Amino acid sequence: MNRDALVAALREIVGARGVLTRPSELLAYSADGLPTYRKVPPLAVFPGSREELIRVVRLLAAEHHPFVPRGAGTGLSAGALAEGDAVVIGLNRLTQILSIDPVNRLAVVEPGAVNLTLTRAATPYGLHYAPDPSSQSACTIGGNVAENSGGPHCLKYGVTLNHVVAITAILASGELVTLGNAAGESEGYDLLGAFIGSEGCFGIAVDVTVRLTPNPEAVRTMLADFTSIEAGARATSAIIASGIVPAALEMMDGPTIRAVEASIYAAGYPADADAVLLIELDGLAAGLDADVRLVERLCRDAGARDVRIARDEAERARLWQGRKKAFGAMGRVAPDLVVQDAVIPRTRLPDVLRTIHAIAERWGIQVCNVFHAGDGNLHPNIGFDSRNADEADRVHHAMREIMRACVEAGGTITGEHGVGLDKLEYMPLIFSPDSLDAQCRLRTVFDPERRANPGKVVPVHACREWTMAPAARASRVEVA
Amino acid sequence: MTATTGTATPVRTTADVVERVREAVARATPLRIVGRGGWLDAGHPVRAAHVLALDGLTGIVDYTPGDLTLTARAGTPLAEIARATMAERQWLALDPFGSPHGTLGATVATASAGPLAHAFGTPRDNVLGLEAVTGDARVIRGGGRVVKNVAGFDLTRLLTGSWGTLGVITEVTVRLRALPEVEESWAIATPDDPPTLDALLARLRTASVAPLAAELLNPALAARLALGDRPVLLLRLGANAESVRAQREQVAMLGDARPAPSEVWSALRECEPPGAAVLRCSALPSRLPETWALACRSTHAVPDALLHASVGRGIVRCIIPPGALTLGDAIRALRAFDGTVIAERLPAEHWFPSKSDPVRDRLARDVARAFDPHRVLNPGILELAP
Ligand SMILES: Cc1cc2nc3c(=O)[nH]c(=O)nc-3n(C[C@H](O)[C@H](O)[C@H](O)COP(=O)(O)OP(=O)(O)OC[C@H]3O[C@@H](n4cnc5c(N)ncnc54)[C@H](O)[C@@H]3O)c2cc1C
């Protein structure tokens, strides 16, 4: 089928307006939240119902045509970009919350439902959806599933994997399959666990059954400020080692604080601090203040100048707003922003942050750190101007060194943003050719023709199979 | 062919495992993978010529208390991990049924969980990474040693609960937690007719208590644990002193609550007589009273059937002592349940196929073929249709 015929067949399914073909219209789908990668897709199709989605995937299956699912496009690893002639399947019209079961604390949602919408729908029952990416007012549950997304409150409550109990997926072959079991135990291989975090390469989530979490009886939000990033890191390590599991434990460094305070999201952070920790404790009311006192003491012992406890909901919301909008605030400071996402063992925070600082100095760039300190999940962000080739080059070098430093500290290359295209080059740093090959094999089980989000996650040239096959070696670098 | 004891030298390293798997492939002699043998009689009968025993592959490889993570070789007994972590007032919050001498590797391979799953989830929620040797003798790693990780496709979740059929798990990294400052357990006498039980569970759901475990026990099991001769709801509380004090008051309002010794939990873990048949029925937690009633009815004619339920998870576990003449009837009755019925251990002649779904079954078969192309790892244990 040529392109015109494909467009006609897709329009037959979703209607004329459900298929975009003009480059000007497709520009909006040429990048995700990471602006350093751009590619205008050849086509984008937007099914308006589950049935339409199924028919679209089956049509592409019959044509052996590649595709890439797309939620809200807030991803930060260029995962939703269309490689080659892949058709973008936009899921943002499938936004329904299909059911809420307040007794069993479950909800069934369509993939395009926005994360925060689900929590809003659960609020009347005293429930919420726990994984709360900072992008939660825009990102979709389907995107969360694909990236196994986290968020500030995942420190205590766990990431997407721990909150999804079943998924109906449509495989690239067009077959529907239910993974997991919402009403009882699951048998056999944990294919649900394998699907979560598969970045759109194993198929498309058609509906997702998630666990809802009761709202905590009591919440205390604290802001501790420090005159050095190291002191903040020491406080973090001390809190984790104490055994208290805060609901959230977030760090922002001086440059981030000042960017936030200079923006419309000013949260009242002390502008002269070199680090603040935003710490939230929640749970049953009784006994909570004992933990608050202990955390306060640990912060002061580590050198906190001040530890402030939000007096009311308004102050709490303001403290959080600054954190959740920190990326946006930094985006105003420089024309381009690269956001990194590495994880290190929590005891290594002080020394790795020192290393990152040294790397930034050496390359003459400004790093802003705003991250999930309690998990050891770093987000070193670098603002720069991509029109300045020399600066862009230095940023790239610095990022590579930072990633290496995190891996050398016993860490990993992504804690929540996924590999997408952006992290492909780092995969061999943490996985052997055999391990990468095993990932390729798993992918092939779900999608033998490798048509679902081609080109992402596993660099095929690094797999043993590929390196051993001379014919393949001769061809250009290819990706799974 | 049934498994015979291994003749080769004991396995001490991952390289030894690679060697043994290579040999199995070369000679077409499949392996029965064994931790310390606790699960030997579980699962479908395995058709294997040799035993690959991992009880020599032991030891804690890395434990940094400040990170709350621990890495150990697969043959390390859970009891050894408990000892090491206890010294730092930490624990691995997994309490699978059976002896504490069971190994970490087997716990992960079988995805076994006990009462603590109520608060802390199952192995899939607690395993951060692992190393395994696939059926074509390659060493693979999934995940890592950090608490958050989305790099690559998730081999860790895939191998957790794969019963050794995709790879011999050789090393595991787990997430630890701090031991609660104070712990105590309470047994609440519980009339178990469905409406009354339903009302009690509804009150438990909304009370200001956050138990670490909540198990309903039938009279036979309650008696065996010296908790009287009526059904009881056994709650395990753990938090700081002030919180536990407040929770205790809430528990007292739920019914006739008596303190239970902390050892009751290990007694529950180890209550099944050797050779017992074990089945689990599960459905939505809101249906627990109904699931419970069905399990009680189905095992009514079995003397000394021990039943307990993880009320928050909607799972009822039925332990049928060996030699029960009515085992076949009980299994038939349980299988009539419209929820999920999983056999944990059964005499070979009673095995039944799990629920099938054509697409899921095909995926499972293809996964098995991709990771164990020569079918040398525990062949038959998951009874995948060819
Ligand atoms: C300001 C900002 C803050 C952020 N904060 C966080 C954070 O705190 N924690 C965090 O984890 N992430 C964060 N992110 C990253 C991002 O929001 C998450 O990865 C999010 O889950 C992506 O959702 P999306 O709907 O935008 O997905 P998209 O970007 O559209 O897609 C992401 C990937 O998912 C696939 N996909 C989408 N829908 C489906 C589906 N239904 N089935 C199968 N595959 C699908 C796509 O192919 C792609 O590979 C942040 C991003 C921004 C811009």
Side-chain angles (χ1 to χ4, degrees), chain B residues 290-314:
Chain B
E290 193 190 323
T291 313
W292 181 254
L294 169 113
C296 292
R297 249 191 343 266
S298 306
T299 55
H300 191 71
V302 179
D304 293 324
L306 307 174
L307 267 55
H308 62 105
S310 174
V311 298
R313 302 172 66 225

Side-chain angles (χ1 to χ4, degrees), chain B residues 32-75:
Chain B
R32 172 61 163 119
I33 307 158
V34 179
R36 290 185 103 78
W39 282 98
L40 250 194
D41 56 349
H44 291 269
V46 171
R47 300 175 297 276
H50 292 296
V51 167
L52 173 58
L54 299 176
D55 55 352
L57 189 65
T58 57
I60 292 169
V61 177
D62 180 65
Y63 175 29
T64 314
D67 288 328
L68 288 135
T69 60
L70 177 143
T71 303
R73 295 198 183 85

Side-chain angles (χ1 to χ4, degrees), chain B residues 13 43 80 98 118 122 129 132 145 186-187 230 254 261 264 276 279 289 317 341 358 368 372:
Chain B
T13 64
E80 186 180 329
H118 176 88
T122 64
R145 292 188 184 181
W186 293 86
R230 292 161 61 194
L254 290 172
V264 75
L279 296 104
R317 192 159 170 270
V341 182
D372 180 20

Side-chain angles (χ1 to χ4, degrees), chain A residues 226 230-240 249 277 298-300 302-303:
Chain A
F226 300 86
E230 244 187 277
R234 276 203 311 272
T236 302
S237 296
I239 294 167
I240 294 302
L249 174 46
L277 288 181
L298 293 170
C299 287
R300 290 198 190 275

Side-chain angles (χ1 to χ4, degrees), chain B residues 41-45 275-279 318 320 327 331 335 342-352:
Chain B
D41 56 349
H44 291 269
V278 184
L279 296 104
C318 310
I320 300 174
L327 176 61
I331 293 173
R335 287 190 60 199
I342 295 179
E344 207 174 281
R345 284 163 199 257
L346 280 184
E349 65 274 20
H350 286 287
W351 272 99
F352 53 87

Side-chain angles (χ1 to χ4, degrees), chain A residues 72-258:
Chain A
T74 68
L76 290 172
S77 52
L81 263 62
E83 290 282 280
D85 55 355
V87 171
V88 170
I89 302 183
L91 298 159
N92 50 339
R93 290 172 71 198
L94 304 178
T95 58
Q96 282 189 59
I97 289 162
L98 299 168
S99 66
I100 290 186
D101 171 353
V103 177
N104 292 299
R105 297 169 180 158
L106 296 172
V108 185
V109 302
E110 289 191 327
V114 168
N115 177 299
L116 193 58
T117 318
L118 173 56
T119 280
R120 294 230 171 93
T123 305
Y125 308 101
L127 302 170
H128 68 285
Y129 178 60
D132 59 340
S134 302
S135 53
Q136 72 186 134
S137 55
C139 66
T140 65
I141 296 295
N144 293 173
V145 164
E147 302 290 9
N148 190 13
S149 297
H153 288 83
C154 292
L155 174 58
K156 175 171 177 180
Y157 292 99
V159 294
T160 304
L161 173 82
N162 311 107
H163 294 272
V164 173
V165 295
I167 289 175
T168 308
I170 183 158
L171 306 179
S173 61
E175 293 163 296
L176 282 170
V177 61
T178 301
L179 307 173
N181 181 3
E185 289 189 278
S186 221
E187 281 184 273
Y189 297 135
D190 186 1
L191 299 176
L192 174 68
F195 188 89
I196 295 169
S198 63
E199 303 196 25
C201 300
F202 288 7
I204 300 181
V206 176
D207 64 53
V208 183
T209 308
V210 299
R211 213 171 260 144
L212 299 172
T213 304
N215 297 340
E217 203 173 274
V219 181
R220 301 279 184 279
T221 307
M222 319 163 69
L223 187 80
D225 82 81
F226 300 86
T227 51
S228 79
I229 226 190
E230 244 187 277
R234 276 203 311 272
T236 302
S237 296
I239 294 167
I240 294 302
S242 79
I244 290 179
V245 184
L249 174 46
E250 302 280 307
M251 191 193 283
M252 282 163 275
D253 67 0
T256 309
I257 295 166
R258 287 180 277 284

Side-chain angles (χ1 to χ4, degrees), chain A residues 104 162 175 178 181 185 187 189-190 217 243 286-287 291 343 346-347 377 412 414 416 434-435 437 439 441, chain B residues 67-68 124-125 136 138 141 148-150 152-153 165 178 208 240 246 280 282 285-286 340 354 360 362 370:
Chain A
N104 292 299
N162 311 107
E175 293 163 296
T178 301
N181 181 3
E185 289 189 278
E187 281 184 273
Y189 297 135
D190 186 1
E217 203 173 274
D291 285 354
V343 191
R346 294 165 287 188
T347 48
N377 188 178
T412 188
T414 171
E416 53 180 26
D434 278 338
S435 298
D437 182 59
Q439 294 181 27
R441 287 196 249 172
Chain B
D67 288 328
L68 288 135
R124 88 198 279 271
D125 304 300
D136 46 1
R138 300 195 201 173
R141 270 182 185 278
K148 216 169 158 193
N149 197 345
V150 297
F153 301 131
T165 59
S208 289
N240 66 30
R280 300 195 303 268
S282 57
S286 61
T340 303
S354 49
R360 209 168 41 214
R362 195 199 66 229

